[in-house]
Amino acid sequence: MLYRYNDFLESMIFQFKEGRDIALRPVFFHEVMQELNDKFRQYAIVLMPSSKEKMLERGFLPVREMLQACKLEIIEPFYKTSNHKQSLQNMQNRALISQVIQRRSDVSLPQKPLLLVDDVCTSGSTILCAYQKLLPHTYKIEALVLAAHPLFVESCDEKGLLKRMRFSIL
């Protein structure tokens, strides 16, 4: 986690994603890009999926764009079966994310550690789902999110997420 999700960051991400303000792409990971490239040089980045509808609407994949200056291999082994936005779901429906996120059979995983990357972590359900679907992968799996919602940060210990999966903090 690089930042705690707040009103300012929410408006920046919204402007970038929904306002299609692609000029903002370098600002999100800019301050840590060199460290990201150095610290995780042996890793491949795994992006969390966007729905096909959102991708077509925006014309780009937000996290891929944010990581344009990244030198690491970037793969997209997941897809969404529906336009399911986690932040709009209640806690019960967030648990259903494993039915929405599916593993693509046409994308093979590289034989190296994986770094799961997403822009916003609200409940941890998306990252945890991806992690569980990648468990047969025998290499190390870590996660990095641009911003985590304060409620997620506060509840990490209660849910035991940090014990089940290492969240990287640069």
Side-chain angles (χ1 to χ4, degrees):
M1 170 185 74
L2 301 178
Y3 307 102
R4 280 185 185 253
Y5 196 62
N6 59 30
D7 291 341
F8 175 73
L9 196 51
E10 179 181 22
S11 68
M12 290 284 290
I13 292 172
F14 183 83
Q15 182 177 341
F16 173 68
K17 291 167 81 168
E18 307 309 328
R20 297 170 199 76
D21 191 347
I22 202 78
L24 289 173
R25 109 176 97 209
V27 303
F28 298 103
F29 286 95
H30 175 76
E31 289 194 24
V32 298
M33 189 56 69
Q34 186 62 49
E35 190 175 355
L36 177 67
N37 284 324
D38 291 345
K39 182 176 180 180
F40 295 103
R41 67 182 172 277
Q42 302 299 321
Y43 286 65
I45 290 179
V46 174
L47 299 181
M48 298 302 99
S50 289
S51 70
K52 190 179 286 187
E53 295 85 358
K54 275 298 186 184
M55 190 179 76
L56 291 172
E57 179 184 315
R58 292 177 182 139
F60 65 95
L61 295 166
V63 179
R64 181 176 278 284
E65 288 296 323
M66 289 176 183
L67 294 170
Q68 185 181 37
C70 186
K71 296 176 183 174
L72 306 179
E73 175 183 5
I74 297 176
I75 60 172
E76 298 172 48
F78 300 110
Y79 67 95
K80 282 187 174 180
T81 59
S82 65
N83 190 10
H84 178 91
K85 185 161 173 65
Q86 277 292 87
S87 62
L88 299 178
Q89 306 300 315
N90 62 33
M91 288 310 285
Q92 291 170 325
N93 287 344
R94 286 180 188 208
L96 301 176
I97 192 67
S98 63
Q99 296 170 7
V100 175
I101 293 178
Q102 297 298 315
R103 176 93 162 71
R104 291 176 49 181
S105 60
D106 62 331
V107 176
S108 58
L109 297 175
Q111 298 299 304
K112 58 172 88 173
L114 302 176
L115 180 64
L116 310 180
V117 179
D118 205 359
D119 55 354
V120 177
C121 179
T122 306
S123 68
S125 298
T126 300
I127 291 276
L128 186 57
C129 172
Y131 174 75
Q132 290 170 339
K133 289 182 183 285
L134 293 173
L135 275 178
H137 183 68
T138 58
Y139 290 79
K140 184 182 203 177
I141 302 172
E142 294 188 53
L144 173 69
V145 294
L146 177 69
H149 193 281
L151 294 176
F152 171 75
V153 175
E154 292 170 14
S155 69
C156 276
D157 287 334
E158 179 184 313
K159 292 180 181 178
L161 286 174
L162 295 179
K163 291 177 185 166
R164 285 187 265 170
M165 182 173 68
R166 183 174 169 205
F167 276 82
S168 292
I169 300 176
L170 293 176

